[in-house]
Amino acid sequence: MKSKYKWIIGIIIVIIIALLLVIPGMNVQRMDIVGSTSVQPLAEELADAYDTNHSDIKISVQGGGSGMGIRSTHQGIADIGMSSKELDSSDKQNITEVELGKEGIVIGVNNGNNISDLSSSQIKGIFNGNITNWKEVGGPDQEIHVITREEGSGTRDAFTSLIMDKSDIMSSAIVQSSTESVKQAVSTDPGAIGYMSFAHMSNDVKSLSVDGVQPSEETISNGDYELQRPFLFLIKGKPTGEVNKFLEWVKSPEGTKIIEENKIIPVS
C-alpha cells in the first residue's frame, strides 16, 4: 500500500511541476505589428527593447508593405499596422495614427556615378522614361537603369506623390520588394538609380542632393529637403490595454532615443 501511495504522490508532484511551467507561459500576451518594410527595422528595435522589460508580452514584427499594414489594421489582423505613407481619407476611417517621426526618401546612384545633384524635374524625367541616358543630365554616356519599389509600397507611394506629379513610373523599371534590395541593386549596377529610405543609407550607395539640397537629419527636420514622409503606427479604433501601454512607452524618452538612433526625426 505504501508503494501505491508513493506512486500516486509522485504523479501528483509531476502534474504540479508541469502546471507551474505551463501557466506562466499562458499569461504571455502576443502583439502583432505588420506593414511597411521601411518602418520594420525601427519597430523591431522598439519591440525588442520593450520585450526586455515586459516578460508578460511578446511582440512580433512582420513586413509586407504599407498597404498590408493598412489592410491588416482595418481587418483587425494586426494589433498595430506600420505605414510609411500618408493615409488617404478612406484609410483614415476608424484608425488612430501615431506618428513616430519624419523620414527622408533618398535618390541613390552607384558610387561610380559622377552625378551629385538632380532637379526634381530631372528625377521625374528619368523615372517616367523620358530621360534614358546619364549624359542627358551631365553624367557618363551610359544607359540609365531605373529601380523602383512594388505597388503598395509606402516608399513608392510617397515618391510618386512627391516627384511624379501624376506621371507613371516607366513600365520597364526593375521592381524590388524592399528598400534594402533597392540599395543592393543600385550598389552593384553602375547605371542604376533608385529611391530608398534615408534611415537605411550607407556608404555603398551614393545619395544625391535634390534641387541643391542634400538629405540630412537637419534638412529633413527643418523641411528644406522636401522628399520626406511620415513613419506611422496604425491602430483600429482607440488604443487600449497593452497596445496603449506600448505606444506610451514608444513616446517616452527611452523610446524616443531609439527612434533618433535610427535616423528618424521624432515628433513632439
Side-chain angles (χ1 to χ4, degrees), residues 70 83-88 91-92 97 99 158 229-230 232:
I70 295 168
S83 178
S84 56
K85 67 173 184 177
E86 295 280 3
L87 273 61
D88 60 32
D91 289 334
K92 287 177 178 287
E97 300 175 56
E99 186 173 357
R229 40 60 183 284
L232 302 172

Side-chain angles (χ1 to χ4, degrees), residues 118-176:
L118 289 173
S119 68
S120 298
S121 60
Q122 286 173 325
I123 296 169
K124 175 184 175 181
I126 289 171
F127 277 85
N128 67 19
N130 288 335
I131 299 174
T132 59
N133 194 297
W134 283 110
K135 67 180 181 181
E136 298 176 62
V137 290
D141 185 5
Q142 185 173 30
E143 182 182 9
I144 298 175
H145 301 152
V146 173
I147 314 293
T148 189
R149 288 290 305 280
E150 79 284 2
E151 293 285 353
S153 157
T155 311
R156 176 172 177 149
D157 287 349
F159 172 80
T160 55
S161 174
L162 293 165
I163 290 291
M164 299 308 291
D165 189 28
K166 300 180 181 179
S167 179
D168 293 329
I169 293 175
M170 59 191 295
S171 59
S172 59
I174 301 167
V175 178
Q176 298 290 350

Side-chain angles (χ1 to χ4, degrees), residues 5-19:
Y5 288 133
K6 287 181 180 179
W7 180 80
I8 294 173
I9 292 171
I11 294 295
I12 293 172
I13 291 172
V14 170
I15 293 172
I16 291 172
I17 292 172
L19 288 172

Side-chain angles (χ1 to χ4, degrees), residues 97-116:
E97 300 175 56
V98 177
E99 186 173 357
L100 304 177
K102 298 189 294 182
E103 206 259 355
I105 298 176
V106 176
I107 307 302
V109 298
N110 187 272
N111 278 326
N113 197 320
N114 69 325
I115 293 294
S116 59

